[in-house]
Short mmCIF file of all heavy atoms in Angstrom, two decimals:
data_model
loop_
_atom_site.label_atom_id
_atom_site.label_comp_id
_atom_site.label_asym_id
_atom_site.label_seq_id
_atom_site.Cartn_x
_atom_site.Cartn_y
_atom_site.Cartn_z
N ARG A 1 -18.51 10.91 -16.06
CA ARG A 1 -17.39 11.63 -15.44
C ARG A 1 -17.26 11.36 -13.94
O ARG A 1 -16.24 11.68 -13.35
CB ARG A 1 -17.54 13.14 -15.69
CG ARG A 1 -17.44 13.49 -17.17
CD ARG A 1 -17.19 14.97 -17.41
NE ARG A 1 -17.12 15.25 -18.84
CZ ARG A 1 -16.05 15.05 -19.60
NH1 ARG A 1 -14.96 14.54 -19.06
NH2 ARG A 1 -16.06 15.34 -20.89
N SER A 2 -18.28 10.77 -13.34
CA SER A 2 -18.17 10.46 -11.92
C SER A 2 -17.43 9.14 -11.68
O SER A 2 -17.04 8.84 -10.56
CB SER A 2 -19.55 10.41 -11.26
OG SER A 2 -20.32 9.37 -11.83
N LEU A 3 -17.24 8.33 -12.74
CA LEU A 3 -16.50 7.07 -12.61
C LEU A 3 -15.01 7.37 -12.47
O LEU A 3 -14.43 8.05 -13.32
CB LEU A 3 -16.71 6.18 -13.84
CG LEU A 3 -17.87 5.21 -13.83
CD1 LEU A 3 -17.95 4.52 -15.19
CD2 LEU A 3 -17.74 4.18 -12.73
N ILE A 4 -14.39 6.86 -11.44
CA ILE A 4 -12.96 7.09 -11.24
C ILE A 4 -12.18 6.22 -12.23
O ILE A 4 -12.52 5.05 -12.44
CB ILE A 4 -12.57 6.80 -9.78
CG1 ILE A 4 -11.23 7.42 -9.44
CG2 ILE A 4 -12.57 5.32 -9.45
CD1 ILE A 4 -10.95 7.47 -7.94
N GLY A 5 -11.19 6.78 -12.87
CA GLY A 5 -10.44 6.03 -13.87
C GLY A 5 -9.35 5.17 -13.28
O GLY A 5 -8.65 4.45 -13.99
N TYR A 6 -9.20 5.24 -11.98
CA TYR A 6 -8.13 4.52 -11.28
C TYR A 6 -8.76 3.46 -10.37
O TYR A 6 -9.97 3.33 -10.32
CB TYR A 6 -7.29 5.51 -10.47
CG TYR A 6 -6.86 6.70 -11.29
CD1 TYR A 6 -7.53 7.92 -11.19
CD2 TYR A 6 -5.83 6.58 -12.21
CE1 TYR A 6 -7.16 9.00 -11.97
CE2 TYR A 6 -5.45 7.67 -12.99
CZ TYR A 6 -6.11 8.87 -12.87
OH TYR A 6 -5.74 9.93 -13.64
N MET A 7 -7.92 2.73 -9.67
CA MET A 7 -8.44 1.68 -8.79
C MET A 7 -7.86 1.83 -7.40
O MET A 7 -6.67 2.05 -7.24
CB MET A 7 -8.07 0.30 -9.37
CG MET A 7 -8.84 -0.82 -8.70
SD MET A 7 -10.63 -0.58 -8.88
CE MET A 7 -11.19 -1.12 -7.29
N LEU A 8 -8.72 1.70 -6.40
CA LEU A 8 -8.29 1.64 -5.02
C LEU A 8 -8.27 0.18 -4.59
O LEU A 8 -9.29 -0.50 -4.66
CB LEU A 8 -9.25 2.43 -4.13
CG LEU A 8 -9.11 3.96 -4.21
CD1 LEU A 8 -10.40 4.64 -3.79
CD2 LEU A 8 -7.95 4.42 -3.34
N HIS A 9 -7.10 -0.30 -4.23
CA HIS A 9 -7.01 -1.69 -3.74
C HIS A 9 -5.87 -1.79 -2.74
O HIS A 9 -4.96 -0.96 -2.72
CB HIS A 9 -6.82 -2.69 -4.89
CG HIS A 9 -5.52 -2.52 -5.64
ND1 HIS A 9 -4.38 -3.20 -5.29
CD2 HIS A 9 -5.22 -1.77 -6.72
CE1 HIS A 9 -3.40 -2.87 -6.13
NE2 HIS A 9 -3.88 -2.00 -7.01
N SER A 10 -5.91 -2.80 -1.90
CA SER A 10 -4.89 -2.95 -0.87
C SER A 10 -3.73 -3.80 -1.37
O SER A 10 -3.86 -4.56 -2.33
CB SER A 10 -5.49 -3.52 0.41
OG SER A 10 -6.25 -4.67 0.14
N ILE A 11 -2.59 -3.63 -0.71
CA ILE A 11 -1.38 -4.36 -1.09
C ILE A 11 -0.78 -5.04 0.14
O ILE A 11 -1.13 -4.72 1.28
CB ILE A 11 -0.32 -3.41 -1.72
CG1 ILE A 11 0.07 -2.29 -0.73
CG2 ILE A 11 -0.85 -2.82 -3.03
CD1 ILE A 11 1.24 -1.44 -1.22
N LYS A 12 0.12 -5.98 -0.12
CA LYS A 12 0.78 -6.73 0.96
C LYS A 12 2.25 -6.30 1.01
O LYS A 12 2.95 -6.36 0.00
CB LYS A 12 0.66 -8.23 0.69
CG LYS A 12 1.14 -9.12 1.81
CD LYS A 12 0.78 -10.57 1.52
CE LYS A 12 1.22 -11.50 2.64
NZ LYS A 12 0.65 -11.11 3.94
N LEU A 13 2.70 -5.86 2.17
CA LEU A 13 4.07 -5.37 2.33
C LEU A 13 5.02 -6.52 2.64
O LEU A 13 4.69 -7.42 3.41
CB LEU A 13 4.13 -4.34 3.46
CG LEU A 13 3.08 -3.21 3.43
CD1 LEU A 13 3.25 -2.28 4.62
CD2 LEU A 13 3.17 -2.43 2.12
N ALA A 14 6.23 -6.47 2.07
CA ALA A 14 7.25 -7.47 2.37
C ALA A 14 7.66 -7.32 3.83
O ALA A 14 7.97 -6.21 4.29
CB ALA A 14 8.46 -7.29 1.45
N ALA A 15 7.66 -8.42 4.57
CA ALA A 15 7.84 -8.38 6.03
C ALA A 15 9.14 -7.68 6.44
O ALA A 15 9.17 -6.94 7.42
CB ALA A 15 7.80 -9.78 6.60
N LYS A 16 10.20 -7.90 5.67
CA LYS A 16 11.50 -7.31 6.03
C LYS A 16 11.88 -6.18 5.08
O LYS A 16 13.05 -5.82 4.97
CB LYS A 16 12.58 -8.38 6.05
CG LYS A 16 12.34 -9.43 7.13
CD LYS A 16 13.45 -10.45 7.19
CE LYS A 16 13.21 -11.47 8.30
NZ LYS A 16 14.24 -12.52 8.34
N GLY A 17 10.88 -5.62 4.39
CA GLY A 17 11.16 -4.59 3.40
C GLY A 17 11.19 -3.19 3.98
O GLY A 17 10.86 -2.95 5.14
N ARG A 18 11.57 -2.25 3.14
CA ARG A 18 11.74 -0.87 3.54
C ARG A 18 10.41 -0.20 3.91
O ARG A 18 10.37 0.68 4.75
CB ARG A 18 12.38 -0.11 2.38
CG ARG A 18 13.09 1.11 2.78
CD ARG A 18 14.57 1.13 2.45
NE ARG A 18 15.25 -0.10 2.29
CZ ARG A 18 16.03 -0.38 1.24
NH1 ARG A 18 16.14 0.46 0.26
NH2 ARG A 18 16.68 -1.51 1.19
N LEU A 19 9.31 -0.63 3.26
CA LEU A 19 8.00 -0.01 3.57
C LEU A 19 7.56 -0.35 4.98
O LEU A 19 6.79 0.39 5.59
CB LEU A 19 6.96 -0.48 2.55
CG LEU A 19 7.22 -0.04 1.10
CD1 LEU A 19 6.24 -0.73 0.16
CD2 LEU A 19 7.13 1.47 0.96
N VAL A 20 8.06 -1.45 5.51
CA VAL A 20 7.80 -1.81 6.91
C VAL A 20 8.83 -1.15 7.82
O VAL A 20 8.49 -0.44 8.77
CB VAL A 20 7.80 -3.35 7.09
CG1 VAL A 20 7.81 -3.71 8.57
CG2 VAL A 20 6.59 -3.96 6.40
N ALA A 21 10.12 -1.34 7.50
CA ALA A 21 11.18 -0.89 8.40
C ALA A 21 11.32 0.63 8.45
O ALA A 21 11.33 1.23 9.53
CB ALA A 21 12.51 -1.52 7.97
N ASP A 22 11.42 1.27 7.28
CA ASP A 22 11.70 2.71 7.25
C ASP A 22 10.45 3.56 7.41
O ASP A 22 10.51 4.68 7.92
CB ASP A 22 12.41 3.09 5.95
CG ASP A 22 13.84 2.55 5.89
OD1 ASP A 22 14.19 1.75 6.78
OD2 ASP A 22 14.58 2.92 4.97
N LEU A 23 9.30 3.05 6.95
CA LEU A 23 8.06 3.82 7.07
C LEU A 23 7.28 3.47 8.33
O LEU A 23 6.23 4.06 8.61
CB LEU A 23 7.18 3.63 5.83
CG LEU A 23 7.46 4.58 4.66
CD1 LEU A 23 8.84 4.35 4.08
CD2 LEU A 23 6.42 4.42 3.57
N CYS A 24 7.81 2.48 9.08
CA CYS A 24 7.24 2.13 10.40
C CYS A 24 5.82 1.57 10.30
O CYS A 24 4.93 1.98 11.07
CB CYS A 24 7.30 3.31 11.36
SG CYS A 24 8.97 3.94 11.61
N PHE A 25 5.60 0.66 9.35
CA PHE A 25 4.33 -0.06 9.30
C PHE A 25 4.56 -1.52 9.71
O PHE A 25 5.69 -1.95 9.87
CB PHE A 25 3.70 0.05 7.91
CG PHE A 25 3.18 1.43 7.63
CD1 PHE A 25 3.96 2.36 6.97
CD2 PHE A 25 1.92 1.81 8.07
CE1 PHE A 25 3.51 3.65 6.75
CE2 PHE A 25 1.45 3.10 7.86
CZ PHE A 25 2.24 4.02 7.20
N LYS A 26 3.48 -2.24 9.90
CA LYS A 26 3.57 -3.62 10.32
C LYS A 26 3.41 -4.55 9.11
O LYS A 26 2.68 -4.21 8.17
CB LYS A 26 2.50 -3.94 11.37
CG LYS A 26 2.61 -3.09 12.63
CD LYS A 26 1.73 -3.62 13.75
CE LYS A 26 0.24 -3.37 13.50
NZ LYS A 26 -0.14 -1.97 13.60
N PRO A 27 4.03 -5.73 9.12
CA PRO A 27 3.91 -6.64 7.98
C PRO A 27 2.46 -7.04 7.69
O PRO A 27 2.11 -7.30 6.54
CB PRO A 27 4.73 -7.86 8.40
CG PRO A 27 5.68 -7.36 9.43
CD PRO A 27 4.97 -6.24 10.14
N GLU A 28 1.61 -7.02 8.72
CA GLU A 28 0.22 -7.42 8.51
C GLU A 28 -0.65 -6.26 8.00
O GLU A 28 -1.82 -6.46 7.65
CB GLU A 28 -0.38 -8.02 9.79
CG GLU A 28 -0.37 -7.11 10.99
CD GLU A 28 0.89 -7.27 11.85
OE1 GLU A 28 1.95 -7.70 11.32
OE2 GLU A 28 0.82 -6.96 13.05
#
């Protein structure tokens, strides 16, 4: 029961996408 059933991993944001522009993050 201590094993998490999900996965934590990083993602790459589209440089000109909404996650960068509207959420104010950097492409890198």
Side-chain angles (χ1 to χ4, degrees):
R1 296 196 181 279
S2 63
L3 270 176
I4 197 166
Y6 311 101
M7 193 58 219
L8 285 157
H9 64 91
S10 50
I11 59 173
K12 188 172 181 57
L13 311 179
K16 295 183 178 177
R18 203 120 336 130
L19 296 171
V20 169
D22 290 9
L23 273 65
C24 302
F25 289 94
K26 299 192 288 290
E28 59 269 25

